[in-house]
Amino acid sequence: MSGSTATTERALRKAELRAAAARGEGYPISPIGWLRLSVRALGLILALMVCVPLHYLYRLLKYGSPFPKLFLWLATRIVGARVRRHGVYLRRDVFFVANHISWVDILALAGASGTAFVAKQELSEVPVIGWLCRLNRTVFVKREHRMGVAEQINDLREALADNWSVTVFPEGTVTDGQSLLPFKTSMLSVLEPPPPGVLVQPVVLDYRENAEEIGWVGDESGLNNAKRLLARRGTFRLDIHFLEPFSPEEFRGRKAIGNESRRRIEDKLVEVLGKPLREYRFPSEPVRYIPRPQAQADIPIE
């Protein structure tokens, strides 16, 4: 068997396993994969054992601890991500608006900037990750809890004032890194009117050639996705592009702010991918998105 044939067969097998995971099927893990998973899990536990006591001791003396950010930075590296930052991020009075691909986004963005998040309620149920999100004062929102939007916006205002920076993923779900869904702008209501001095900074997350493998899409469970990533061979690169911030006061309301953020993110994503975005293949209830039948075909191997 030639080298090119073997490479093609491995790529096909990887695509088949990825498609099976998106359908909600279990992902086979080899013995060496379980070893990698165990080593990374142990690394996360050790980092917790160091950072959590230091966090609570620090909080006894001073408000605002650096140790959640430190742990999330360590966790990002332990799970295999190698982050490269592009652009200058604002450290306070900023509302980050980002595309969303994986739960690793939260580790990486918080580890890189110290931001708090608005995240879907389901993430709070993921072991360890949910607890860490709460430690970082994440504002969790329930998709079906329409009557509680006002309360969630109040929580978000408090988080923005308390944490200096807050990140929202307005697609309402994760995608495959090759697509960008319509933005759900209800959580941008916190910017109607914007708090004094607060700017909006769009952010683009790019996992490069590994985006579809890293992505948590379709019917895959959070546990299966976490096992898949922790058992994965080697590391993967994550580029975080902090784009030029803008004042929300220059736009009339949350929809205009969302449209401007999405336009900037889409332009940058097309630039870094070097090709047009494609239609997302999975339905998304939060933004009432239903893909066309042809968009649901398997990803071709390039």
Side-chain angles (χ1 to χ4, degrees):
M1 181 183 296
S2 67
S4 60
T5 301
T7 300
T8 300
E9 289 188 355
R10 285 195 295 270
L12 287 169
R13 176 58 176 164
K14 183 180 291 187
E16 290 172 358
L17 292 174
R18 186 176 66 236
R23 292 193 298 267
E25 301 174 16
Y27 191 88
I29 298 176
S30 66
I32 191 66
W34 280 109
L35 178 60
R36 287 192 290 265
L37 187 155
S38 300
V39 170
R40 286 172 173 150
L42 179 61
L44 291 171
I45 291 170
L46 291 175
L48 274 173
M49 292 175 63
V50 172
C51 292
V52 170
L54 292 174
H55 164 73
Y56 287 112
L57 285 172
Y58 190 94
R59 288 293 302 272
L60 291 175
L61 303 174
K62 189 175 180 181
Y63 182 76
S65 166
F67 292 103
K69 178 181 177 182
L70 174 61
F71 172 78
L72 291 166
W73 179 84
L74 289 171
T76 302
R77 294 191 62 85
I78 290 169
V79 302
R82 297 297 180 263
V83 175
R84 294 191 182 183
R85 291 187 308 203
H86 305 268
V88 179
Y89 70 90
L90 301 180
R91 297 180 180 274
R92 57 175 299 161
D93 298 326
V94 59
F95 199 82
F96 295 125
V97 179
N99 64 318
H100 197 16
I101 300 164
S102 168
W103 51 269
V104 180
D105 300 349
I106 291 178
L107 302 180
L109 264 174
S113 68
T115 182
F117 291 88
V118 179
K120 61 184 181 180
Q121 184 67 31
E122 292 90 333
L123 194 63
S124 69
E125 301 167 4
V126 178
V128 181
I129 299 298
W131 177 73
L132 287 170
C133 289
R134 286 188 290 271
L135 194 65
N136 201 50
R137 289 168 285 187
T138 294
V139 178
F140 293 107
V141 296
K142 295 182 179 179
R143 292 174 177 174
E144 71 280 2
H145 190 36
R146 300 185 184 276
M147 299 303 292
V149 170
E151 179 182 348
Q152 292 168 358
I153 289 173
N154 287 334
D155 291 342
L156 184 53
R157 285 184 179 275
E158 292 178 4
L160 186 60
D162 190 36
N163 290 285
W164 293 355
S165 66
V166 174
T167 298
V168 65
F169 300 112
E171 290 172 283
T173 187
V174 286
T175 64
D176 53 15
Q178 314 292 314
S179 314
L180 193 64
L181 289 172
F183 278 9
K184 181 179 177 65
T185 60
S186 59
M187 286 299 106
L188 298 182
S189 297
V190 70
L191 301 174
E192 291 182 323
V198 169
L199 297 178
V200 174
Q201 186 166 24
V203 179
V204 170
L205 299 159
D206 175 28
Y207 288 84
R208 301 169 68 84
E209 67 276 5
N210 299 303
E212 293 179 277
E213 183 182 359
I214 301 301
W216 175 13
V217 299
D219 295 323
E220 183 177 21
S221 69
L223 180 59
N224 190 68
N225 183 268
K227 287 164 57 179
R228 217 169 36 83
L229 265 61
L230 292 177
R232 185 183 182 279
R233 180 180 179 181
T235 61
F236 54 91
R237 178 170 159 181
L238 169 56
D239 288 345
I240 303 179
H241 299 268
F242 293 95
L243 307 185
E244 191 69 21
F246 64 89
S247 172
E249 294 181 349
E250 298 174 2
F251 298 86
R252 292 174 176 254
R254 59 184 173 86
K255 291 188 177 181
I257 295 169
N259 288 339
E260 178 64 14
S261 299
R262 191 184 187 283
R263 181 189 67 79
R264 297 188 183 201
I265 290 172
E266 180 176 2
D267 288 348
K268 187 64 178 181
L269 197 53
V270 168
E271 177 188 327
V272 298
L273 292 176
K275 60 184 178 181
L277 302 185
R278 70 178 182 216
E279 186 174 353
Y280 189 51
R281 298 175 300 126
F282 302 97
S284 175
E285 182 180 344
V287 291
R288 299 179 183 178
Y289 170 78
I290 300 176
R292 293 175 298 176
Q294 59 266 37
Q296 299 182 23
D298 288 341
I299 302 170
I301 301 299
E302 300 179 352

